[in-house]
Amino acid sequence: MVRSLVVLPDDTAQPILDAISHAGQSLRIKMFIFSDLRLLHAVIAAHHRGVEVRIMLNPERRSGKKENADSRKRLTEAGVEVKDSNPCFDVTHEKSMVVDDKAAFVHSLNWTTGNLTETRDYAIVTSHAHEVDEVIECFEADWSRKEFNPSEHSCLIWCIGNGRQRIGQFIDDAKDSLWVQNERYQDPVIIEKLVSAKVRGVKVHVLARPPHKLKKEKLLEAVGGLRIMADVGIKVHKLKGLKLHAKLLFADRARAIIGSINLAPGSFDSRRELAIEVGDQEVTDRLHTIAHQDWENSRPLDLTDAGLLAELQQADPDVAEDLALNPDHE
């Protein structure tokens, strides 16, 4: 029983394609966005060779944008059984796959060509039976629109559930170093935990998306969170050359959380999300290398009033008022 790490785009889609092509009995797939043609063809081929394939797709974003309609049509026309994800949640942001009841993939990435080729993303593959069974249990509950009650002692982290508490405790337990890669830093509880870690002497490194990549309605919370962290001396950088889509926390070169959870209230309180906490040395050794490489391939975000104005005012003429920016302040 082992866990392994997939790093995107370094490892390409091949580990996922290999798992699908080797499936002999069943595939359970739950995905926020599924549009990559190679993966679509692989899943349809599995169905045609007799594998029981069931797929849950998020029907639309909260904005109403539908991103899975074409893929659902392709899959359905090929005879694959497809359902909308559980309507109990505003959005199903979980990205998971279970192969033959023996291995579970817990992704940060969507099954889009961009996430496979252009973004920093991760997946953990686990063959621990109790973890695989738990992912299956949630899939079956969401498929049948029934309640799912996760184990409190599992390495899996579920939202809605104990996600904020588990991630908060993970940060509180960090002793020496904490590397965080995430698109959004909006949850005040988690931001306070990161500030507290810095204050007690933990070396905190934060990779974030540039503010202009964020949705306008998220700017207040997101920029505020980044600036609070920067104000206490947390280093906040943006990645060069790759887009950041990962959701990673990596502490003390010994423990990591990888999955779909953004550090935002919506992820904790209204979305179906899944992450996993791991401490396998093979995984943490590689994460140590990748985290340091990404940091070397990054540069500080300019979060000064003048820097934010220069970056954002063309996209949002009201940004100075909205964020109370004063370029003469610095």
Side-chain angles (χ1 to χ4, degrees):
M1 295 187 294
V2 297
R3 298 190 190 99
S4 60
L5 174 69
V6 180
V7 180
L8 277 303
D10 307 44
D11 297 342
T12 76
Q14 204 57 51
I16 303 170
L17 290 166
D18 288 345
I20 295 170
S21 67
H22 291 128
Q25 297 175 330
S26 63
L27 288 170
R28 293 176 178 87
I29 298 165
K30 198 187 300 183
M31 197 59 54
F32 180 57
I33 307 175
F34 184 2
S35 60
D36 181 76
L37 290 178
R38 290 179 68 196
L39 289 172
L40 279 166
H41 293 157
V43 166
I44 290 169
H47 167 71
H48 286 162
R49 68 172 183 269
V51 176
E52 181 191 9
V53 180
R54 286 186 291 158
I55 300 176
M56 267 185 285
L57 297 176
N58 186 67
E60 61 184 37
R61 292 179 183 262
R62 285 188 296 177
S63 66
K65 185 177 182 180
K66 301 177 188 293
E67 294 164 293
N68 290 314
D70 289 346
S71 297
R72 179 167 185 160
K73 184 172 184 290
R74 284 175 180 264
L75 291 163
T76 302
E77 288 177 350
V80 177
E81 193 171 4
V82 185
K83 266 191 179 184
D84 285 346
S85 50
N86 194 334
C88 289
F89 305 98
D90 287 351
V91 164
T92 287
H93 196 238
E94 176 186 345
K95 310 110 171 11
S96 66
M97 175 174 68
V98 180
V99 182
D100 290 342
D101 297 355
K102 295 178 180 178
F105 284 64
V106 178
H107 294 25
S108 69
L109 65 139
N110 294 298
W111 280 8
T112 69
T113 304
N115 279 175
L116 294 163
T117 61
E118 300 174 359
T119 64
R120 171 61 74 225
D121 263 305
Y122 304 99
I124 292 290
V125 188
T126 177
S127 59
H128 287 279
H130 59 285
E131 293 169 359
V132 176
D133 289 347
E134 191 170 331
V135 178
I136 292 173
E137 183 182 353
C138 181
F139 183 96
E140 296 298 338
D142 283 351
W143 186 268
S144 303
R145 310 320 197 206
K146 295 180 179 178
E147 187 175 358
F148 167 66
N149 296 304
S151 168
E152 293 184 5
H153 306 291
S154 171
C155 289
L156 297 170
I157 301 170
W158 297 95
C159 299
I160 302 171
N162 60 358
R164 182 183 284 110
Q165 181 181 10
R166 289 283 301 276
I167 289 176
Q169 187 64 54
F170 182 94
I171 297 169
D172 286 346
D173 290 342
K175 295 177 174 58
D176 178 62
S177 64
L178 184 61
W179 303 78
V180 190
Q181 297 181 357
N182 207 282
E183 290 181 275
R184 301 189 200 167
Y185 297 83
Q186 296 166 245
D187 189 79
V189 172
I190 298 303
I191 291 166
E192 189 280 327
K193 296 286 187 183
L194 291 168
V195 168
S196 180
K198 170 64 179 177
V199 169
R200 69 174 182 270
V202 177
K203 299 180 184 69
V204 182
H205 297 75
V206 165
L207 274 183
R209 298 187 76 182
H212 75 272
K213 297 290 187 181
L214 299 168
K215 295 177 181 177
K216 181 179 176 180
E217 62 269 21
K218 302 297 183 184
L219 274 179
L220 288 177
E221 311 164 312
V223 172
L226 293 174
R227 297 184 92 183
I228 287 168
M229 292 188 290
D231 283 345
V232 300
I234 292 174
K235 296 178 180 179
V236 181
H237 281 209
K238 59 182 177 181
L239 195 58
K240 294 188 296 183
L242 285 176
K243 298 175 183 178
L244 182 67
H245 186 258
K247 298 93 174 65
L248 166 72
L249 293 99
F250 179 46
D252 302 328
R253 198 175 176 172
R255 303 175 297 120
I257 291 176
I258 285 172
S260 68
I261 303 172
N262 284 309
L263 302 179
S267 287
F268 294 123
D269 299 328
S270 64
R271 294 183 169 199
R272 167 66 81 209
E273 305 270 13
L274 172 61
I276 185 169
E277 183 173 348
V278 297
D280 310 65
Q281 186 171 351
E282 183 177 340
V283 172
T284 57
D285 283 351
R286 189 172 184 203
L287 283 173
H288 175 79
T289 299
I290 295 293
H292 282 77
Q293 286 176 350
D294 283 354
W295 194 255
E296 291 173 5
N297 189 41
S298 70
R299 61 172 181 244
L301 272 175
D302 186 352
L303 296 170
T304 65
D305 282 11
L308 288 168
L309 272 174
E311 181 177 352
L312 296 170
Q313 63 185 353
Q314 286 188 341
D316 181 5
D318 299 321
V319 70
E321 181 179 351
D322 291 345
L323 295 179
L325 300 178
N326 178 4
D328 299 323
H329 175 68
E330 275 81 26

